[in-house]
Amino acid sequence: MALKTLTSTPVLFLLLLGFSAASTPRPRPRPCKRMVLYFHDILYNGHNSHNATSAIVGSPAWGDRVTLAGQNHFGNVVVFDDPITVDNNLHSPAVGRAQGFYLYDKKEIFTAWVGFSFVFNSTQHKGSINFAGADPLMNKTREISVIGGTGDFFMTRGVATLMTDAFEGEVYFRLRVDINLYECW
Amino acid sequence: MALKTLTSTPVLFLLLLGFSAASTPRPRPRPCKRMVLYFHDILYNGHNSHNATSAIVGSPAWGDRVTLAGQNHFGNVVVFDDPITVDNNLHSPAVGRAQGFYLYDKKEIFTAWVGFSFVFNSTQHKGSINFAGADPLMNKTREISVIGGTGDFFMTRGVATLMTDAFEGEVYFRLRVDINLYECW
Amino acid sequence: MALKTLTSTPVLFLLLLGFSAASTPRPRPRPCKRMVLYFHDILYNGHNSHNATSAIVGSPAWGDRVTLAGQNHFGNVVVFDDPITVDNNLHSPAVGRAQGFYLYDKKEIFTAWVGFSFVFNSTQHKGSINFAGADPLMNKTREISVIGGTGDFFMTRGVATLMTDAFEGEVYFRLRVDINLYECW
């Protein structure tokens, strides 16, 4: 087991830089990398198998797998493979795929939990970024965690801000994702 | 890509503090933040839609979505939106919601895997803490990972100890969660 | 909230070690711990309940829970409790269990997303390692994130390389997992 360094670092700082108690909310550090991307989700509804990019795979007892369930879709689990674009146009060339799942988890309003990856394989980026967190999707912005990465994003961590950029009924939505990475290796 | 700092830090320590080989198990570092909270799960059983906070949304071929499956519930996936309280009373004011899923993943005994968030929106805390890990729930205590956070818990990491504080048949359980954060930004 | 140390560390490095811009791809750091392990998945197909270690628990509208769905299994969610061995022999003594889920998430080819833990309880290792990420399983090697750990693997992070070491139809597969940990506490 390698030396543990993180927890000892504060001591070092006290010695080298002097101690200053933070009594006010500290500003956020600057990200080591920023990216803004969009992804596009077209939910299978029984009639759009040609262009659907996601499908309901779990539902509560009161639901099925073709229509999102009552009670604000509570309990619906959706698996997706959505194109990622650099602008908000569904028909722009995809620079990668957003792959994973979301699930609706509140009866009273729409809110979700997500676990997914951005998988890149373009000239600009190779590798993946992994995300997890709560997505209270009725909020204009909401934050989830970047929990790791591979390839160009080896060992990264950060926070991603999700914004619903568009939606059309229960079939299409587009998310804007502002990725702010604070650990870059 | 920003400078990678973490892996170089040990070298710095060797220079500044001298090298000492750790031949005995090292004690755990002190957490930078500790919290003890409870959450309460009431599973939908077909007759309690009014107060249920969770529902079976996936089951193996031998199960359904109203009754937990045989073989120690192997394969049942449950989505939840559970109130978080500061004490062990279900009727105390909720300081947030535990949202996400758990799934039972062993045929021989009860054991689970969890992915969820604590979502706070109180005067005391704003933001979220994200958790993932194995929950061998027949053990008195078990540990899962804090994999990230947002808001007041920006970029945090740590370990949470789960304890089953109470359960009533297959409908209600209450978990005590001792959160120990070791990375605080 | 404890002092934030990580983001200030670069400044320290600039002072102590001098600044050098990294214009070429930097080599990866050395892992603080490496492990190579195998795990074995036997999918329930309606006829092998005795030795199956996993089961389909979610499927799209066009699938069921006994047979993997058409369109490259898109939407199938599988819960597993697989033995971990130190060599590639299913019948070697298990040193732990791989527990969690995988889901197939692309219509055109086989690809998956995984969330699981290695749960150890042997003389050699106690504790758990938690994993998440995209698994494009037709690639010879693919990388997922180690997002945390407990016990002997307290607070660890890293990258795991998955390789399909064997598969037999849709019932059995064996994965080799090369775990490289870069944060060891």
Side-chain angles (χ1 to χ4, degrees):
Chain A
M1 195 75 68
L3 280 175
K4 175 61 210 83
T5 64
L6 288 170
T7 51
S8 305
T9 310
V11 176
L12 185 62
F13 269 77
L14 296 186
L15 292 173
L16 290 176
L17 303 179
F19 177 79
S20 63
S23 59
T24 53
R26 286 176 306 102
R28 285 203 180 174
R30 281 170 63 127
C32 47
K33 186 171 182 65
R34 301 189 68 165
M35 302 167 76
V36 177
L37 293 164
Y38 295 81
F39 71 92
H40 308 260
D41 190 83
I42 302 170
L43 183 62
Y44 177 66
N45 65 1
H47 307 290
N48 60 353
S49 62
H50 181 63
N51 66 344
T53 64
S54 66
I56 303 170
V57 303
S59 67
W62 61 88
D64 60 45
R65 291 169 296 174
V66 177
T67 311
L68 288 163
Q71 303 209 53
N72 291 290
H73 315 335
F74 182 81
N76 276 137
V77 182
V78 175
V79 167
F80 62 91
D81 169 40
D82 293 348
I84 302 170
T85 57
V86 296
D87 60 20
N88 66 1
N89 188 338
L90 170 61
H91 303 293
S92 293
V95 297
R97 307 294 292 193
Q99 298 180 327
F101 71 99
Y102 55 88
L103 53 85
Y104 291 93
D105 58 6
K106 197 170 183 66
K107 291 190 286 187
E108 294 79 11
I109 57 165
F110 294 126
T111 194
W113 202 87
V114 299
F116 66 96
S117 302
F118 272 12
V119 181
F120 297 99
N121 191 8
S122 68
T123 49
Q124 199 172 0
H125 296 301
K126 295 212 188 310
S128 64
I129 303 176
N130 300 320
F131 303 87
D135 176 13
L137 54 94
M138 299 307 285
N139 296 359
K140 189 171 185 323
T141 65
R142 53 272 185 191
E143 294 188 331
I144 61 173
S145 291
V146 173
I147 58 173
T150 68
D152 290 351
F153 307 98
F154 176 73
M155 287 290 289
T156 200
R157 291 184 71 232
V159 169
T161 303
L162 306 182
M163 284 160 275
T164 303
D165 195 57
F167 67 95
E168 290 170 17
E170 298 194 339
V171 171
Y172 174 74
F173 69 78
R174 178 173 67 235
L175 287 190
R176 175 183 157 137
V177 187
D178 286 24
I179 303 173
N180 287 282
L181 304 177
Y182 297 95
E183 292 190 19
C184 301
W185 286 56
Chain B
M1 195 75 70
L3 281 175
K4 175 60 209 84
T5 64
L6 287 171
T7 50
S8 305
T9 310
V11 176
L12 185 62
F13 269 77
L14 297 185
L15 292 174
L16 289 176
L17 302 180
F19 177 79
S20 64
S23 58
T24 52
R26 287 174 307 103
R28 285 205 181 172
R30 280 170 62 127
C32 46
K33 187 170 181 65
R34 302 189 66 165
M35 302 167 77
V36 177
L37 293 165
Y38 296 80
F39 71 92
H40 308 261
D41 190 84
I42 302 170
L43 183 62
Y44 177 67
N45 65 1
H47 307 290
N48 59 353
S49 63
H50 182 64
N51 65 346
T53 64
S54 66
I56 303 170
V57 303
S59 66
W62 61 89
D64 60 46
R65 291 169 297 174
V66 177
T67 310
L68 288 163
Q71 303 210 54
N72 291 291
H73 314 337
F74 181 81
N76 276 137
V77 181
V78 175
V79 166
F80 62 92
D81 168 42
D82 292 349
I84 302 170
T85 58
V86 296
D87 60 20
N88 66 1
N89 187 339
L90 169 62
H91 303 293
S92 294
V95 297
R97 307 294 291 193
Q99 298 179 328
F101 71 98
Y102 56 87
L103 54 84
Y104 290 94
D105 58 4
K106 197 169 182 67
K107 290 190 287 187
E108 293 80 11
I109 58 165
F110 294 126
T111 193
W113 201 89
V114 299
F116 66 98
S117 302
F118 273 12
V119 180
F120 297 98
N121 190 10
S122 68
T123 50
Q124 197 172 2
H125 296 301
K126 295 212 186 310
S128 63
I129 303 176
N130 300 321
F131 303 87
D135 176 13
L137 53 94
M138 300 307 284
N139 296 359
K140 189 172 186 320
T141 66
R142 52 272 184 190
E143 294 188 332
I144 61 173
S145 292
V146 173
I147 58 173
T150 68
D152 290 351
F153 306 98
F154 176 73
M155 287 290 289
T156 199
R157 292 185 71 231
V159 169
T161 302
L162 306 182
M163 283 160 276
T164 303
D165 195 57
F167 67 94
E168 291 171 16
E170 298 193 339
V171 170
Y172 174 74
F173 69 78
R174 178 173 68 235
L175 288 191
R176 174 183 158 138
V177 187
D178 285 25
I179 303 173
N180 287 282
L181 304 176
Y182 297 95
E183 292 190 19
C184 301
W185 286 57
Chain C
M1 194 77 67
L3 279 176
K4 174 61 209 81
T5 63
L6 288 172
T7 51
S8 305
T9 310
V11 176
L12 186 61
F13 269 77
L14 296 186
L15 292 174
L16 289 176
L17 302 180
F19 177 78
S20 64
S23 58
T24 51
R26 288 174 307 102
R28 286 204 180 173
R30 281 170 61 126
C32 48
K33 187 171 181 64
R34 301 189 67 164
M35 302 167 77
V36 177
L37 293 164
Y38 295 80
F39 71 93
H40 307 261
D41 190 83
I42 302 170
L43 184 62
Y44 177 66
N45 65 1
H47 308 289
N48 59 352
S49 62
H50 181 63
N51 67 344
T53 64
S54 66
I56 302 171
V57 303
S59 67
W62 62 88
D64 60 43
R65 291 169 296 174
V66 178
T67 311
L68 288 163
Q71 303 210 53
N72 291 292
H73 315 336
F74 182 81
N76 276 137
V77 181
V78 175
V79 166
F80 61 91
D81 168 41
D82 293 348
I84 302 169
T85 57
V86 296
D87 60 20
N88 66 1
N89 187 339
L90 170 63
H91 303 293
S92 294
V95 297
R97 306 295 292 193
Q99 297 179 329
F101 71 98
Y102 55 89
L103 54 84
Y104 290 94
D105 58 4
K106 197 169 184 67
K107 291 191 285 188
E108 294 79 12
I109 57 165
F110 294 125
T111 194
W113 201 88
V114 299
F116 66 97
S117 302
F118 273 12
V119 181
F120 298 99
N121 191 10
S122 67
T123 50
Q124 196 172 1
H125 296 301
K126 296 215 186 310
S128 63
I129 303 176
N130 300 320
F131 303 87
D135 176 13
L137 54 94
M138 299 306 286
N139 296 358
K140 188 171 185 322
T141 66
R142 51 273 183 190
E143 294 188 332
I144 61 173
S145 291
V146 173
I147 58 174
T150 68
D152 290 350
F153 306 98
F154 176 73
M155 286 291 287
T156 200
R157 291 185 71 230
V159 169
T161 302
L162 306 182
M163 284 160 276
T164 304
D165 195 57
F167 67 95
E168 291 170 17
E170 298 193 339
V171 170
Y172 174 75
F173 68 77
R174 177 172 69 234
L175 288 190
R176 174 183 158 137
V177 187
D178 285 24
I179 302 173
N180 287 283
L181 303 177
Y182 297 95
E183 293 191 19
C184 300
W185 285 58

